[in-house]
Amino acid sequence: MKNTISHKSICVLTACTFIPFFIMFLYTFIAMDIRHKDDFIETMTRFNDNSARNAIERPIQEMQLLLHSLLGQLTSKDIEGYISPSHTELNSIIPSIVNSTTFFEAVILSDKEGNYTIYPENHAEKFNVKERPWYPVSARKDEIRFSVPYKAIDKTSKYNNGMAVTASMNIFNDHSEFVGNIAFDLDLHNLSALIKNNHPPYHARFKVVSYDGNLLMYSNTKELFKRAIPQAWIERAKESEGHFFDVATKSYVFYRVYDNPEWIAFSIVNEANFKKHGSAEKYFFFLTSLACLIFYLVLLFIIKLYFKQAITALYLNINGLSIDEKGDSIKTVSESLRENSKKLEIAIHDAETDGLTNLFTRKKFDADFYDLVSAKNSFYFAIIDVDNFKTVNDTFGHNTGDVVLTYLSKVGSDIFSNIYRFGGEELVVIYPENNYEKFYTLLDIWRKTLEQKQWREEGLNVTFSCGVSAWHEGSTTDEILKKADIRLYQAKNSGKNCIVGLE
């Protein structure tokens, strides 16, 4: 009966020890999934933003610069000369823009009466420019308007399904009177080339579409102007940027919306690609967990074998008996462990505490200072240096110098908790509270207390100088130390016995 109870107790104990393991396993697995999802969203949002910037924003900025540069040269007389057969300077400037710029396909220049000329020249039927979809009925001066995709009159090989997109701008004279219009057909094949060399993470597909769903830019230019984006995606793109999961296509969709032109940049990641990306990490995690579990079971088996012996030894120790006549008892081992623990505590204290001043040592300061900066917690910092300390040692002796340092440290310790002996007569203070005025006041109290101290040695007067700095976002340990050190020298050069704080 006793053996059965003992066996059950061991089984219950074993089961209980497994509970923390399974809790940690479950927590780590869930945390890994959440972190993977967060990293995925952050990476894809950044990729979509950068791709949209390269494919849309930068080309549009270049278009705007080109079009605005023409404004100073496009008067009503210049437009009339360009449209007429006679040669003008614009006859070479405008074609050169089309030929040298990758994102322009053709240009149409028209006057206010509707007369126009096209470059490159085509044989399409005459049309009324004012009735074309790209012609702005009303537009502000210097405003570039981008048309929605429309049926082009000239169905050249560079147009897909006879569709085109045009960027146009009305031209005004110096009296803000309308004199004409200039319109450039966009070469969306060349614009798509800007995204062909992208290396999207998670095998993503980047696309630029118009508000009506027409595909305007894509690495596969054969798909341009084909309705490849579900209308539901466009309806869900309500914010300037964001993401959602489309159940129908099982895809994660990231988007960025533009008003002029009325385009949307989409990055699409298949759910299978997303899951595949994190499967290797999960597989490694499962293998590691399995190895730990096997080790855990082996360890428990060994513990079970020696459990009875350990209980017996403990029972004998309680009753004041040794395990055997030659071997050490558990009590002896326990006392030895306690003694070693005390020695370790003493060693740590000696390593972190200065023997003379009873302040923290420079070694502990380096560790605490680094941890505090790494944690990005706000704090203030001060370096204190005893004025003319060498003179004190030379005049009154090193023993007196030690007394001065001991008194200085004691007064400071009554005011601050984090004081370190930095070296020689230099002390440093870390003030973790976010109250500069209070910190400065406490430093000044410390300074005045030392200044007013009546020493036993006749003619001995002791003061200190102090430099203060503060942690700011992005500050390094060297920068904080350097700023405080510079202000300490300013205090020394200002007559000593003063504190140079923050400006």
Side-chain angles (χ1 to χ4, degrees):
M1 182 67 179
K2 289 183 179 179
N3 290 336
T4 303
I5 294 173
S6 176
H7 181 72
K8 287 183 178 178
S9 300
I10 293 173
C11 291
V12 171
L13 179 63
T14 302
C16 290
T17 56
F18 271 103
I19 293 176
F21 178 86
F22 284 113
I23 291 175
M24 183 59 66
F25 174 86
L26 185 62
Y27 170 81
T28 305
F29 183 81
I30 295 173
M32 186 186 302
D33 232 10
I34 294 173
R35 178 178 55 79
H36 181 222
K37 185 68 174 291
D38 291 341
D39 290 345
F40 164 71
I41 292 173
E42 181 181 355
T43 300
M44 286 309 305
T45 299
R46 185 166 57 248
F47 167 77
N48 193 62
D49 289 349
N50 291 338
S51 299
R53 213 170 277 118
N54 291 331
I56 300 175
E57 295 179 18
R58 290 178 182 172
I60 288 175
Q61 289 174 0
E62 292 183 28
M63 294 178 199
Q64 290 172 338
L65 289 173
L66 283 171
L67 289 173
H68 288 157
S69 67
L70 288 173
L71 286 179
Q73 305 177 55
L74 289 176
T75 64
S76 57
K77 185 176 180 180
D78 292 325
I79 295 172
E80 181 182 350
Y82 183 79
I83 294 174
S84 67
S86 60
H87 176 78
T88 67
E89 186 181 359
L90 288 173
N91 289 90
S92 59
I93 293 176
I94 293 180
S96 67
I97 292 176
V98 176
N99 294 330
S100 62
T101 307
T102 59
F103 39 72
F104 287 153
E105 181 77 21
V107 60
I108 302 174
L109 182 64
S110 59
D111 60 17
K112 63 181 180 180
E113 283 77 28
N115 300 312
Y116 67 91
T117 185
I118 301 176
Y119 180 85
E121 196 172 344
N122 61 46
H123 303 288
E125 295 180 3
K126 291 292 183 179
F127 56 91
N128 187 345
V129 293
K130 295 182 179 180
E131 294 178 356
R132 299 306 294 155
W134 46 262
Y135 195 93
V137 177
S138 62
R140 291 175 295 181
K141 189 176 182 180
D142 298 342
E143 182 180 35
I144 300 172
R145 304 293 291 271
F146 292 84
S147 72
V148 297
Y150 66 94
K151 284 285 183 180
I153 293 177
D154 182 27
K155 298 183 180 180
T156 62
S157 59
K158 290 190 177 181
Y159 287 109
N160 287 278
N161 300 325
M163 299 293 290
V165 175
T166 300
S168 63
M169 181 174 64
N170 282 343
I171 305 167
F172 298 85
N173 61 19
D174 294 336
H175 303 290
S176 297
E177 297 173 343
F178 173 72
V179 295
N181 176 273
I182 187 168
F184 289 87
D185 289 344
L186 302 185
D187 190 341
L188 296 173
H189 288 258
N190 284 333
L191 285 173
S192 296
L194 297 173
I195 60 178
K196 282 187 177 180
N197 295 326
N198 281 359
H199 300 286
Y202 303 95
H203 301 286
R205 291 161 292 150
F206 180 76
K207 300 180 179 181
V208 177
V209 303
S210 60
Y211 282 9
D212 59 3
N214 276 297
L215 187 60
L216 304 180
M217 293 185 213
Y218 187 45
S219 56
N220 183 6
T221 54
K222 294 180 181 179
E223 295 295 320
L224 298 187
F225 292 102
K226 292 183 179 179
R227 197 177 186 84
I229 296 296
Q231 188 62 32
W233 291 9
I234 298 174
E235 293 173 357
R236 293 182 69 175
K238 297 184 181 298
E239 305 294 338
S240 60
E241 62 178 352
H243 64 274
F244 56 85
F245 180 78
D246 183 59
V247 179
T249 59
K250 293 185 178 180
S251 300
Y252 291 93
V253 182
F254 297 80
Y255 65 86
R256 189 176 183 88
V257 180
Y258 293 88
D259 294 326
N260 185 26
E262 295 181 341
W263 297 349
I264 307 175
F266 283 106
S267 291
I268 305 102
V269 178
N270 187 275
E271 185 182 27
N273 290 333
F274 164 68
K275 291 182 177 179
K276 182 180 179 181
H277 191 270
S279 60
E281 184 180 8
K282 290 182 179 178
Y283 179 74
F284 179 77
F285 172 71
F286 276 116
L287 286 180
T288 305
S289 300
L290 181 62
C292 292
L293 180 61
I294 293 172
F295 175 79
Y296 200 59
L297 290 171
V298 172
L299 184 63
L300 286 175
F301 178 76
I302 295 173
I303 291 174
K304 182 181 178 181
L305 290 178
Y306 292 95
F307 182 77
K308 187 175 181 180
Q309 295 180 12
I311 293 296
T312 302
L314 182 62
Y315 175 80
L316 293 173
N317 181 66
I318 292 172
N319 288 274
L321 301 174
S322 300
I323 296 175
D324 54 60
E325 293 181 358
K326 296 181 179 180
D328 290 335
S329 67
I330 294 178
K331 181 179 179 180
T332 304
V333 173
S334 177
E335 290 175 352
S336 177
L337 288 174
R338 282 196 298 269
E339 184 177 349
N340 289 338
S341 178
K342 289 181 179 178
K343 290 180 179 178
L344 180 61
E345 290 178 2
I346 294 171
I348 293 173
H349 178 270
D350 292 341
E352 295 182 346
T353 307
D354 180 67
L356 175 65
T357 62
N358 207 32
L359 300 177
F360 293 128
T361 61
R362 172 67 180 271
K363 183 177 181 181
K364 180 169 174 55
F365 165 76
D366 291 339
D368 291 351
F369 198 48
Y370 176 82
D371 292 341
L372 195 59
V373 173
S374 299
K376 298 182 179 180
N377 295 326
S378 297
F379 66 90
Y380 294 101
F381 175 77
I383 298 179
I384 293 166
D385 183 81
V386 179
D387 297 328
N388 306 314
F389 188 72
K390 185 177 184 304
T391 303
V392 173
N393 280 332
D394 293 343
T395 305
F396 301 97
H398 288 279
N399 288 337
T400 301
D402 291 344
V403 171
V404 168
L405 287 177
T406 303
Y407 178 78
L408 174 68
S409 302
K410 182 181 182 305
V411 175
S413 298
D414 292 339
I415 300 173
F416 300 104
S417 58
N418 296 330
I419 306 181
Y420 307 79
R421 187 175 183 185
F422 198 63
E425 70 275 19
E426 279 191 341
L427 309 181
V428 294
V429 182
I430 297 175
Y431 188 72
E433 295 182 22
N434 192 19
N435 188 333
Y436 172 71
E437 297 298 330
K438 182 179 177 181
F439 181 46
Y440 187 92
T441 301
L442 293 174
L443 288 172
D444 202 46
I445 291 172
W446 188 5
R447 182 190 63 80
K448 289 178 180 178
T449 303
L450 182 66
E451 180 187 16
Q452 296 168 4
K453 165 71 174 175
Q454 298 295 319
W455 301 91
R456 183 177 59 186
E457 291 78 6
E458 184 177 354
L460 176 60
N461 295 304
V462 182
T463 60
F464 70 72
S465 299
C466 176
V468 180
S469 63
W471 178 89
H472 298 290
E473 185 69 32
S475 298
T476 64
T477 54
D478 290 338
E479 290 172 350
I480 298 169
L481 283 168
K482 184 177 180 181
K483 288 180 181 178
D485 199 48
I486 290 172
R487 288 171 182 150
L488 172 63
Y489 277 103
Q490 290 175 355
K492 291 286 187 181
N493 294 331
S494 298
K496 303 179 182 179
N497 191 25
C498 64
I499 301 169
V500 176
L502 305 181
E503 298 177 356

